[in-house]
Amino acid sequence: EISSSCSKYFTSERLRVARSIVQCNAGDPEDCMQNFADEIVYTDGNFVAENKSFVSAVFKNMFQSNFATSWSISIVREVCTSDGAYIPRWSVDAALTNEALKSAPGASLIKFASDDEDKATFQQDYLPELKIYGKTPVLGPILTNYSATLAKCLTSDEGC
């Protein structure tokens, strides 16, 4: 189902690309890169990757890490804006190394530069649950340390 704002502001091709970007985070990193402009900026709030080659390396590290053995992302709601932004709310299920993550809510902000090119120039993923758990007395320091370690390995030449 297409939201009224996406019908109004996005072509069917741009909406397909935007949805593909959200879904490709659970798939092959090479498939993701075809939807990004050369000047793409990607962040999850813990690090920033600028330019297509750096983002490609981050995604490659992400998918090669042993953090999760499988992912499934479902788009719950989406909004498109007149200035080229796609804002999906999504839910992720993941088989993590030690346990399962079920229906964890998240959102993304994906921006397209111009009306005539269907390549994203910016993506930010939000996982509010991790920020909340990061404030708890026992789990907080562990999650904060893990997030920092993960950010370092994702952005390193060696990978995770």
Side-chain angles (χ1 to χ4, degrees), residues 69-115:
T69 56
S70 66
W71 296 83
S72 172
I73 298 175
S74 302
I75 297 171
V76 177
R77 184 170 178 235
E78 60 191 359
V79 174
C80 300
T81 66
S82 62
D83 62 349
Y86 175 70
I87 307 156
R89 282 186 43 218
W90 41 262
S91 175
V92 63
D93 293 324
L96 305 177
T97 307
N98 297 324
E99 62 183 88
L101 182 65
K102 292 287 186 185
S103 301
S108 297
L109 171 61
I110 299 168
K111 294 182 181 179
F112 293 87
S114 65
D115 290 337

Side-chain angles (χ1 to χ4, degrees), residues 39-133:
E39 66 277 5
I40 182 68
V41 174
Y42 173 83
T43 184
D44 69 354
N46 293 310
F47 65 91
V48 176
E50 296 180 358
N51 77 53
K52 197 171 186 174
S53 63
F54 190 22
V55 172
S56 179
V58 166
F59 280 19
K60 182 178 176 187
N61 289 344
M62 188 182 302
F63 294 118
Q64 288 180 347
S65 74
N66 61 3
F67 174 64
T69 56
S70 66
W71 296 83
S72 172
I73 298 175
S74 302
I75 297 171
V76 177
R77 184 170 178 235
E78 60 191 359
V79 174
C80 300
T81 66
S82 62
D83 62 349
Y86 175 70
I87 307 156
R89 282 186 43 218
W90 41 262
S91 175
V92 63
D93 293 324
L96 305 177
T97 307
N98 297 324
E99 62 183 88
L101 182 65
K102 292 287 186 185
S103 301
S108 297
L109 171 61
I110 299 168
K111 294 182 181 179
F112 293 87
S114 65
D115 290 337
D116 58 345
E117 189 175 0
D118 293 325
K119 301 279 186 189
T121 57
F122 180 84
Q123 179 179 353
Q124 181 161 6
D125 292 331
Y126 298 92
L127 294 159
E129 299 280 317
L130 290 180
K131 300 280 186 200
I132 293 168
Y133 289 129

